[in-house]
Every structure is written in C-alpha cells, then in structure tokens.
Amino acid sequence: MNLIPLFLISLAAVGYETALTRYFAVAKWSEYGYWVISIVMVGFALSGVVLALWRDGFARRAPALMAALPACLVVAAAAGYHFTTTNPFNPLQLQNPATWQPQIWNIAGYYAALLPFFFLAGLFISLSFVRNADHIGRVYAFDLTGAGAGAAGVLAAMFLVHAFYLVPLLLLPLGLAALFMRGPYRLRAVLAAVLALGVSEAVLLLDNEATYNDFKAIYAPLHTPDAKVVATITSPRGDYTVLDDFTERVDTDISNNAGMMGIEGPPRSYGLYRDGNRIAALPSQPGAPDSAYAAAALDALPYMLIPHARVLLAGASGGFRVAEVAHLGAARIRALEPEPVLSGILRHGVGPVMPLAGQAGVQVSGSPPLAGLGRGKYDIIDLSADFLDAAETNATAFSREAIVAYLKALAPGGLVSIPVSIRDFPVYALRMLATVRAALLAAGIDDPAAHVVVYRSAWNVRILIARDGWTAARIDAAKKFCDDRSFDLAWYPGMNVVQARANIYNDLPAVSFDKGEVESGGPDDAIADEAEAVLSGRASPSVAQFNLSPITLDRPFFYAVLRLDHLGTILKRLEILPQAEVGALVNLAVLAQAVVIAVLVLLVPLAVPGRIRSPRAGLVRAVVYFPALALGFLFIEIYLIEKASFWLADRTNGFALVLTGMLVFSGLGSLLSERLADRPRHFVALAVLVVLGWCAAAAVFLQPVMLATLDWPFLARTGLLLALVAPVSVALGLPFPLGLSQTGSTGFLPWAWGLNGAFSVVATPLANLIAREAGFTWVLFCAAILYGIALVTFPAMRKFSAWHDIPAPSAVGE
C-alpha cells in the first residue's frame, strides 16, 4: 500500500486553499476568503457523492484514473488560479443596489474556476479510502498529516514568496505525486505531470494577472506621480509595502485651529501598507520624528491634565506616537507594539526608514497590552488611534477585561484614554461606552458615568476614564482644551446635553439606520444624546438598531454592531456598511449556501435506488454521526485558533500552530485507530469522553491560564499551546476512521466522506456566527454537544455488502 501520493495531494490541496485565502486578503478583502473554504468543502462533498453513486465503475478504473489525476490537478490548479486573478469581482459594486447583479455572476465565476481542482482532489482522497477500506485509519492518517504539512509548508513559504506567487510553488507537490505512483501507468503519469507542470508554470509565471483591486487603500497613492515602493516585507502575517509619495502624512486628528495656535500640520511620512491596507506612517527623516503638531491633536488632552506623566502607550504608530507623547512632556514612556513587523521596524528599520532613535525614559516592547502592564503604576494608559487596525488581535485591548486591568495598573488620579473612529458609524463610540461601563462595574465602581469624559472631533472620539472620578477642575480644563481646538465634549459628569447643543463645533446629527434618514433639527451631537443612558445602563435609541453589548475576550469583535435579526434593514442599507461589517453578511451567505449543499449531499444518494443499502437504524445513526463529527471537529479548531491568536498575540502563529498541530496529532490518532478496530464502540466512547472532559476543562481554566502566562517567553507559550492541542487532537482522530470501519455497505464509505465534507462547509460560517452572537465559549459548548450526539449515534451496523467485491488494488499509489 503506497500512500505517499495521497500525502502529497492532501498537502497541495490545503496549501492551495491557504494560498487562495491569502490572494483574497491581498487583492480583495480578507472576508471574501470564506468563499475559498466553501469551495474546498463543496468540491470534497461532491466527490464523495459522485463516488457513492458510481462506486464500482470508479473502483474498477481506479489505477488508470488515479495515475492521471496528478497531471489533471496541476492543470486544474493553474487554470483555476489564472481565472481567479482575471475575475473582475468588485466588493464595492456588490454593495451598490445599482451594480450588484453582475457581481453575483463574478462570484459564480470563482466557483466555476476553483471547484474542479477541489473536486478532483476530493476524488483522489475518496478513491484512496475506497481502495484501502481495510486500512481506513492509515489512509486517514496520511490524509490528515499531509494536510498538516501543507498548512505548515505554505506558511513557511510566505516568508520568501509573495502571496501572488504561492500557487506556482504548490504545483510542484502535485506533479511529484505522479513520481511516486506504482504500476503499469506510472511512466505515463510522470510524463503527463511533467508536461502539465511545464505549461502551467509558464502560464502562471509569465502571465500572472494578480494585482491590487482599485478599491484597496494602496491603489490610489501607488498610482500618484513619482510614487515609489521603497521597501517590501514578505511574511505569513501579510505582504508589507513601504510607499513614498506626496500624499503620505501622519494620520492623526488635528484641530482646525492649529494655524491660529501657531502649530503646523503633521509632517510628510512614508506609508506602511499590509495587504494593501494602510496600518501606519513611518518617519521619512532620520532622527526623532517631527512631533511639533502634538499639542493640537485630539489625543493630547490627558497630557494637559497630567503633566510629566508615567505613560503606558499601546501602539507606537511607527514611532510618531512615541515622539508625540514625549513632546507633550511625559516623564517616562513604555510603548507596546505587538504587531511583529511594526515592532521589528521600530528596532531595526526597513529600507530607508531608520530605527526609532533611543531616548531617555522611553522603553519599547513587543508585548500586547494585557501582557505589557508590568508591575509599575502609570498615570496615563493610552491606546493609539491606529492601534485597533494595526493587527487583528489588537481588538482584545478594547475588551472589558483589558480595561479592568488598565484600571488596576493606574496610579491615583490616573487616566485611561481610548480612541474610537466614528467615520463610518458613531454607534461604535456608544458600544465602547457600554464596554467601559461593564469594566467599571467589574472593577467595583458603582457609578460609571462619574468616571468618564467623552470628547470628539468630526471624525474621532476619545473616551477618558478617571480611576478616581472627575473633579470640577479637571472638567473645566477639558472644556478649555476643547474650546481652544474646536473639539466637542460629548459627555462629562453633570453635563446638560440640551444646553451644550448651542456651542457645538462639529455637527453630528443622529441618523436612523432603519429609515435611512437624518433626524436633526439643528446642531446636534448623536453621541451626547445617548452617552448618559448607555453609561447608566438604560436603553437608548441605538439599542433598537444596533448591538451595543460589551466587547469581551470571549466576544472580541469590535466591528460587530449590526443586528443580524434585522437582516432586511441591513440589506437595504448595504451601500453604507463599513467594510469591516461585511464579513458577517458573507458568513450568512456562505452558511445559507452550505446548508443547501449539505442537504443535497445527504439526500441525492438516498434518492438513487440501490446505492446506499443499509439497515434503517444503522443508516439513521450514520447520517447523524458523520455530520456531528464534522461540525464538532471544526468548532474545536475554530475555538482553539481564536484562543491561540490571543495567547500568542499573533493570528498567523496561532492559526499555523493550531491547524498543523490538530491535523498532525489527529493523524496519529487515526493511525492508532487501526490497532483499536476490534472494539470500535468502546474506543469511540473513550475518545468522546476525553473530548468532553477537555472541553469542560478548557471552558473553566483556559482563559485564567492564558492571562497568567501572557508575559511568558513566546516559546514557552507555544509549548503550552501544543500540550493543550495534542491530547484532544489524538482523541479527535479516532471517531471518524472507527465509524467508517463500521459502514462497509455499498456506496456508504464515500458518501460518509462526502457528508463530512458537506457539513464542514456548514461548520466554519456557523461557528463564526455563534461566536459573534454568543461568544467562543458557546462554540466550545456546541462542540461538546455534537460529540455527545456522535457518541450515542455511533453507526455500529453490520456490513451489508463487503468491500472485497471491488477489484483488488494494484500497485498504483492510492
């Protein structure tokens, strides 16, 4: 039995899936990478259905078919990627009522281009199961470990290869699979693969159409006169570009009165883009960045209230924020920059950008805020305005638990300063206020409204939290600061909102999301209208239209204000939705499609007479058992990826370690299943009990352990993570092959494989939506329920038709 081709094709399939996800993140928006997961699993599910319906014919022709598949996969992968890169899909037009219909056809074009590859890959894997039905555990082990190697390999390749050129690299293991074939078709398989490789690599390398779409932030500045790319960094975390053009400046909120104050605006800079999205400004001059504008900036108020402060700064903003805080008179600065590439630029520079100059009293750390508080006390804990969008895991710094930790780290009289952008929706500020209220209550403060001041410009809000409450003198100083700079106070203790309307500098009228109308009779402040109610825990008008539940470590979704139970209203307002909110709608669309596909995969083989023959009780059990395993496995994987991303302060490392670890250790569990096949029900029960016990322990102990070890060295946290992943993954690797070993009836094995794939399509969007609406703990709870269901539906049925009626496998690799 030669399973090396299976290993290589599984490796390439997962690598291709990852490479396509990266393509969408760079060329389009990362949210549309959900389609890739959907297409992958649809292809696998369809292959299982086709093989279930025509099992015997495929089995008889398996040697020739499997020998031809590597070359076919090379061509399908190359053609699929080429047509993906030439697809004119534009997400902005999808959100426009006048232009959305052609984009539906473009989405269908992605499916048409990519589905053939994943169907053929699924067919090779399904045939490997069918042809080696007496060694299912070993086949599944090679499939899983190959997938794990593919995930790890493509992530390693991203350090050297740009996202647009990953697919040509992944054609090599597909061609190599032909070299390991055995039997009479081996020579023809190798020659076909070599020819396919040569033509496909030439097409992809000489005519690579991948590029940034014109709606990406980098597109316009990249195409200005004399624009230059002065440095690039290729990384699994993203593809970074340092851009020099005349439009690049420090992106900070400066007073309209800066000229009257004798203060110049922000200086020119380089722009740092990740996957085409701008994440920071970088100094274009050697030495300390120019920070003369700092006193006119929105975020300067805390430093006016507390001179010579000891500061914890979350986000260095390419070094500019450190220079600003120093210019404002801070006595000591601890700057945290957990985004690894940004942190590396601060220390070592990149291209023409020099490292951040050493300054007395300034310490720079790569720790995230919850790990970087240290043992000292701070007068000001300040989150930079661009910190949230600099890295996906930075959203946890805005959670209730994080704010509680900041309050504990403050010295008497200290302040926490939290930024919120209101360029898209002012309601983000209200949701942040609800989070602040929850944190203050958790910290033992009974009257949150007395500890909060909110002030704003036309585009941004700052929320200041005073550990010991606000004095009249500090409130008066805040009023003067805002009046001098034409900023507006949206809330302070004792504020009369009605009287304040007479002196509004930046009109912010309330807008009804339901009606799509401005609701204002004059100068207004929509945040001031609701701030007191939110801070006091009373219902406010926005609660009826938006989700204002606090951000927590279990629900770390800052951009999740849409109420999905108002889907009709959301679709009517699609053209005004922020890009960050679109992901939830893509999830819903993929879920709806996935449910339809899962039902078809379930019913079509049953509708064809004689294809799935089994005692009724055994059939019903199996129909529940395999989907439950598919959903439960993916739920645990998604839960672990989220927790690992927070624990390691990096989504890329969290994703890579969890995915690779789970696949490899599950593969070991599957390999172990062959030794346990004599008592399958007993060992499935044991495996499920391990999974249930692990879920219970994770729900209770994982978050406290993570918080207690956040400041441990990276390798120590990595070791703990793998120790956490290993036991449950070994247990997760047992139920699927042990269940398959009991379902030897005609057509059932490939159908069970198809069911697993179809319900895996359902799992990803469903888990993401559960996490968004209820939290990741509920995802884990649902996984435990699903494995409990699998335990009581184990398909212990007699083999209605043995597999020995299939022609014996030849020496071809399967």
Side-chain angles (χ1 to χ4, degrees):
M1 181 170 54
N2 174 26
L3 295 175
I4 294 177
L6 171 63
F7 178 91
L8 291 170
I9 286 174
S10 295
L11 180 156
V14 170
Y16 190 57
E17 175 186 359
T18 307
L20 289 169
T21 303
R22 287 292 302 130
Y23 166 78
F24 276 100
V26 179
K28 312 293 182 183
W29 281 331
S30 59
E31 286 79 7
Y32 295 95
Y34 291 132
W35 288 335
V36 177
I37 300 170
S38 171
I39 295 168
V40 173
M41 294 306 177
V42 169
F44 282 9
L46 289 178
S47 70
V49 171
V50 168
L51 195 55
L53 295 177
W54 296 285
R55 186 206 67 165
D56 291 348
F58 275 99
R60 281 191 296 270
R61 298 172 178 83
L65 181 60
M66 295 180 75
L69 277 174
C72 294
L73 284 164
V74 169
V75 173
Y81 184 63
H82 175 75
F83 288 115
T84 295
T85 61
T86 57
N87 189 315
F89 171 73
N90 189 321
L92 295 183
Q93 292 182 12
L94 184 63
Q95 291 181 237
N96 188 323
T99 60
W100 68 271
Q101 289 180 322
Q103 299 309 314
I104 298 300
W105 288 106
N106 289 334
I107 294 170
Y110 285 130
Y111 279 76
L114 298 174
L115 194 58
F117 172 84
F118 292 107
F119 172 80
L120 294 175
L123 189 61
F124 191 99
I125 296 169
S126 297
L127 281 170
S128 297
F129 277 108
V130 169
R131 304 264 316 153
N132 298 282
D134 293 332
H135 300 281
I136 287 172
R138 193 178 306 177
V139 175
Y140 195 45
F142 271 76
D143 175 37
L144 289 175
T145 53
V154 76
L155 286 165
M158 288 181 198
F159 283 108
L160 302 172
V161 180
H162 189 278
F164 291 162
Y165 289 91
L166 285 169
V167 170
L169 183 67
L170 291 164
L171 299 184
L172 298 177
L174 292 172
L176 192 61
L179 189 62
F180 287 94
M181 291 291 182
R182 296 175 185 169
Y185 301 102
R186 180 176 182 275
L187 180 59
R188 277 176 279 182
V190 172
L191 292 175
V194 170
L195 177 62
L197 267 175
V199 173
S200 298
E201 296 286 13
V203 169
L204 293 186
L205 294 175
L206 299 177
D207 188 29
N208 193 327
E209 298 289 332
T211 187
Y212 297 109
N213 203 299
D214 55 8
F215 58 78
K216 298 288 279 195
I218 196 173
Y219 186 86
L222 189 61
H223 291 82
T224 57
D226 301 321
K228 293 183 294 185
V229 173
V230 296
T232 58
I233 300 173
T234 301
S235 162
R237 300 177 184 91
D239 290 292
Y240 296 78
T241 303
V242 181
L243 187 62
D244 180 17
D245 85 294
F246 72 90
T247 69
E248 300 292 346
R249 292 187 179 272
V250 179
D251 187 15
T252 190
D253 208 339
I254 298 294
S255 165
N256 293 330
N257 302 343
M260 293 187 294
M261 298 170 67
I263 297 174
E264 294 185 4
R268 281 193 60 181
S269 70
Y270 295 121
L272 178 64
Y273 295 80
R274 182 183 59 231
D275 293 346
N277 300 308
R278 196 175 191 274
I279 63 170
L282 298 177
S284 59
Q285 300 295 328
D290 179 6
S291 56
Y293 58 89
L298 181 71
D299 42 23
L301 176 55
Y303 304 94
M304 305 297 180
L305 298 176
I306 307 177
H308 312 298
R310 296 163 293 174
V311 179
L312 178 72
L313 181 64
S317 302
F320 281 103
R321 191 72 187 119
V322 176
E324 291 169 18
V325 170
H327 182 88
L328 292 169
R332 193 178 76 221
I333 304 169
R334 178 172 168 78
L336 308 178
E337 188 49 83
E339 209 287 340
V341 171
L342 264 174
S343 182
I345 291 173
L346 291 175
R347 291 189 174 91
H348 311 295
V350 61
V353 181
M354 302 300 292
L356 182 65
Q359 303 175 52
V362 176
Q363 178 189 4
V364 179
S365 168
S367 300
L370 277 169
L373 293 173
R375 298 181 180 179
K377 292 290 185 179
Y378 302 95
D379 301 306
I380 299 173
I381 296 179
D382 184 358
L383 278 63
S384 296
D386 57 5
F387 184 67
L388 174 64
D389 296 323
E392 191 175 353
T393 56
N394 286 356
T396 58
F398 294 77
S399 65
R400 178 192 63 203
E401 295 87 344
I403 296 171
V404 171
Y406 303 154
L407 292 169
K408 292 179 180 178
L410 284 178
L415 297 172
V416 178
S417 179
I418 300 175
V420 184
S421 171
I422 55 173
R423 293 174 187 267
D424 294 313
F425 282 171
V427 74
Y428 288 124
L430 297 177
R431 187 167 188 235
M432 196 67 237
L433 283 177
T435 305
V436 167
R437 178 180 186 273
L440 287 165
L441 291 174
I445 294 171
D446 296 329
D447 184 13
H451 292 255
V452 176
V453 160
V454 182
Y455 68 106
R456 67 175 183 84
S457 67
W459 308 110
N460 296 284
V461 168
R462 275 279 167 175
I463 300 172
L464 301 185
I465 311 170
R467 197 195 78 159
D468 303 319
W470 284 87
T471 64
R474 276 193 171 180
I475 291 173
D476 289 342
K479 290 178 179 178
K480 184 177 187 309
F481 174 90
C482 290
D483 285 337
D484 289 345
R485 294 161 177 79
S486 295
F487 296 141
D488 294 295
L489 275 165
W491 170 254
Y492 58 84
M495 178 179 179
N496 186 316
V497 175
V498 175
Q499 290 181 1
R501 283 179 179 158
N503 299 308
I504 288 176
Y505 296 105
N506 305 280
D507 188 27
L508 185 66
V511 179
S512 170
F513 189 69
D514 287 340
K515 299 176 183 177
E517 298 175 353
V518 175
E519 298 181 337
S520 177
D524 202 358
D525 188 332
I527 295 173
D529 291 343
E530 301 188 52
E532 182 181 10
V534 173
L535 287 168
S536 301
R538 303 194 307 272
S540 69
S542 291
V543 172
Q545 303 177 48
F546 297 103
N547 167 32
L548 299 187
S549 59
I551 302 160
T552 67
L553 291 180
D554 197 45
R555 295 174 66 187
F557 304 102
F558 188 95
Y559 298 109
V561 296
L562 297 182
R563 291 187 55 173
L564 298 182
D565 55 339
H566 293 189
L567 186 59
T569 302
I570 293 171
L571 293 177
K572 289 178 183 177
R573 307 286 172 257
L574 196 60
E575 71 275 11
I576 66 169
L577 293 185
Q579 176 260 319
E581 295 282 355
V582 172
L585 299 183
V586 177
N587 250 313
L588 278 174
V590 172
L591 178 60
Q593 167 208 278
V595 169
V596 172
I597 291 168
V599 171
L600 290 174
V601 171
L602 179 65
L603 297 181
V604 168
L606 292 176
V608 179
R611 294 301 175 183
I612 307 296
R613 301 202 306 273
S614 171
R616 182 178 298 276
L619 181 62
V620 171
R621 282 173 169 266
V623 163
V624 175
Y625 180 80
F626 291 105
L629 293 182
L631 291 167
F633 188 100
L634 266 294
F635 278 18
I636 290 175
E637 181 180 288
I638 289 167
Y639 170 84
L640 276 173
I641 287 172
E642 178 61 33
K643 297 305 177 183
S645 299
F646 167 69
W647 202 358
L648 303 178
D650 180 22
R651 182 161 297 278
T652 299
N653 278 317
F655 175 86
L657 285 168
V658 169
L659 183 61
T660 304
M662 284 191 69
L663 290 173
V664 170
F665 285 116
S666 295
L668 293 177
S670 181
L671 200 60
L672 180 64
S673 70
E674 288 207 354
R675 298 172 178 247
L676 311 176
D678 56 333
R679 300 174 64 190
R681 178 183 288 276
H682 173 82
F683 288 108
V684 166
L686 182 61
V688 170
L689 289 175
V690 170
V691 171
L692 296 179
W694 182 93
C695 289
V700 175
F701 299 113
L702 182 55
Q703 183 162 302
V705 169
M706 289 192 302
L707 291 173
T709 57
L710 276 177
D711 58 349
W712 284 22
F714 178 81
L715 289 178
R717 283 175 285 146
T718 298
L720 279 177
L721 175 62
L722 291 176
L724 173 73
V725 168
V728 71
S729 298
V730 171
L732 292 173
L734 291 171
F736 186 74
L738 289 174
L740 283 181
S741 69
Q742 297 297 106
T743 58
S745 58
T746 300
F748 202 105
L749 192 150
W751 185 49
W753 168 256
L755 283 174
N756 186 270
F759 281 88
S760 294
V761 182
V762 175
T764 299
L766 181 58
N768 287 331
L769 290 169
I770 291 172
R772 183 187 188 275
E773 298 300 308
F776 281 97
T777 298
W778 271 95
V779 175
L780 186 65
F781 180 62
C782 290
I785 292 175
L786 287 162
Y787 272 94
I789 291 172
L791 177 60
V792 299
T793 58
F794 180 72
M797 56 183 170
R798 296 176 182 175
K799 296 186 178 182
F800 197 85
S801 175
W803 286 99
H804 63 258
D805 60 344
I806 302 174
S810 71
V812 74
E814 64 258 350

